């Protein structure tokens, strides 16, 4: 067996020639064409909530036929389509593109650590001798929490109380402040200024507070 290694990697489909000579077979520079097809895989890190089923997608382009895709869980074990709380949609190549989607149920999500690696292993569906491509992403799971920020201030001094909401991926749909003794909602006015705060995608949190005048 004679081999050619493309050491710098390949970025586009290519064709090479294997040229051989054999004295005993009276062959001189007999040329055989070999096709090298190149595909790409996009498998990005994702941050999700554990309150609802989530999906992660292994997207492939440049395929010549539908690829074989195997999913591995954070421990390295193969995930099957019949495994509890996991569902796999392998997908079919169309115009060279194929999406393989792993759905993860709430039970499986809550059992994960905060950051968990998932791997999709892609193998050519046309050329059986092709090496498998192992691609890994990190799934970060968020837990919802409301953290109060109590204060102690001098008498007759304006005070700012706040609560930090964490484990969110978008601005809060609603929030309000109440007087706990009567549970009556506070509103902007002479005594209070309520600030909804700004959602911070970097920390997946929102700081919500009223300003007491």
């Amino acid at each position: 067996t004679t081999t050619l290694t493309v050491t710098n990697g390949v970025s586009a489909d290519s064709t090479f020639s294997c040229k051989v000579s054999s004295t005993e077979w009276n062959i001189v520079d007999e040329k055989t064409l070999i096709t090298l097809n190149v595909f790409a895989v996009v498998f990005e890190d994702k941050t999700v909530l554990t309150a609802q089923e989530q999906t992660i997608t292994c997207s492939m382009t440049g395929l010549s036929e539908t690829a074989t895709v195997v999913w591995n869980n954070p421990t390295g074990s193969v995930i099957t389509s019949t495994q509890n709380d996991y569902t796999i949609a392998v997908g079919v190549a169309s115009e060279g593109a194929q999406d393989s989607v792993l759905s993860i149920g709430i039970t499986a999500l809550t059992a994960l650590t905060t950051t968990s690696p998932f791997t999709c292993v892609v193998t050519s569906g046309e050329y059986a001798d092709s090496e498998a491509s192992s691609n890994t992403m990190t799934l970060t799971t968020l837990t919802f929490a409301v953290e109060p920020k109590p204060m102690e201030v001098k008498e007759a001094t304006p005070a700012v109380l706040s609560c930090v909401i964490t484990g969110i991926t978008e601005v809060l749909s609603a929030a309000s402040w109440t007087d706990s003794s009567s549970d009556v909602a506070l509103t902007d006015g002479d005594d209070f200024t309520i600030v909804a705060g700004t959602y911070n995608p970097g920390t997946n949190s929102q700081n919500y507070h009223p300003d007491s005048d």
Side-chain angles (χ1 to χ4, degrees):
T1 301
T2 178
T3 63
L4 170 69
T5 301
V6 185
T7 56
N8 290 329
V10 184
S11 57
D13 293 349
S14 306
T15 301
F16 295 89
S17 298
C18 176
K19 187 184 294 186
V20 299
S21 298
S22 172
T23 302
E24 63 177 336
W25 284 99
N26 196 27
I27 294 172
V28 179
D29 290 341
E30 182 174 292
K31 183 165 54 176
T32 302
L33 297 180
I34 300 178
T35 300
L36 177 60
N37 289 343
V38 176
F39 65 91
V41 178
V42 176
F43 195 37
E44 298 178 335
D45 295 345
K46 190 175 183 180
T47 298
V48 301
L49 310 179
T50 57
Q52 52 191 298
E53 181 182 273
Q54 303 291 343
T55 60
I56 52 179
T57 303
C58 186
S59 298
M60 297 147 279
T61 56
L63 296 172
S64 53
E65 286 189 7
T66 296
T68 299
V69 181
V70 174
W71 288 85
N72 293 338
N73 65 19
T75 65
S77 300
V78 174
I79 301 172
T80 65
S81 57
T82 58
Q83 190 170 338
N84 187 37
D85 231 27
Y86 286 100
T87 304
I88 298 173
V90 175
V92 177
S94 175
E95 296 182 352
Q98 178 181 342
D99 285 344
S100 180
V101 181
L102 175 67
S103 299
I104 310 173
I106 295 174
T107 300
L109 285 169
T110 54
L112 297 173
T113 58
T114 303
T115 55
S116 303
F118 282 84
T119 302
C120 75
V121 182
V122 182
T123 304
S124 171
E126 183 174 8
Y127 302 110
D129 291 335
S130 301
E131 291 188 9
S133 167
S134 182
N135 311 271
T136 301
M137 60 85 74
T138 298
L139 185 70
T140 300
T141 53
L142 301 176
T143 301
F144 182 82
V146 178
E147 180 185 358
K149 297 289 187 180
M151 293 288 176
E152 186 172 33
V153 298
K154 181 183 176 181
E155 182 181 9
T157 301
V160 177
L161 294 173
S162 65
C163 60
V164 179
I165 299 88
T166 58
I168 56 177
T169 59
E170 59 185 37
V171 176
L172 292 171
S173 55
S176 63
W177 285 86
T178 64
D179 181 340
S180 295
S181 62
S182 61
D183 206 31
V184 175
L186 304 177
T187 58
D188 283 332
D190 294 335
D191 295 326
F192 301 98
T193 300
I194 297 176
V195 179
T198 303
Y199 170 66
N200 185 337
T203 58
N204 298 105
S205 66
Q206 183 172 338
N207 191 330
Y208 182 69
H209 64 85
D211 293 334
S212 177
D213 297 327

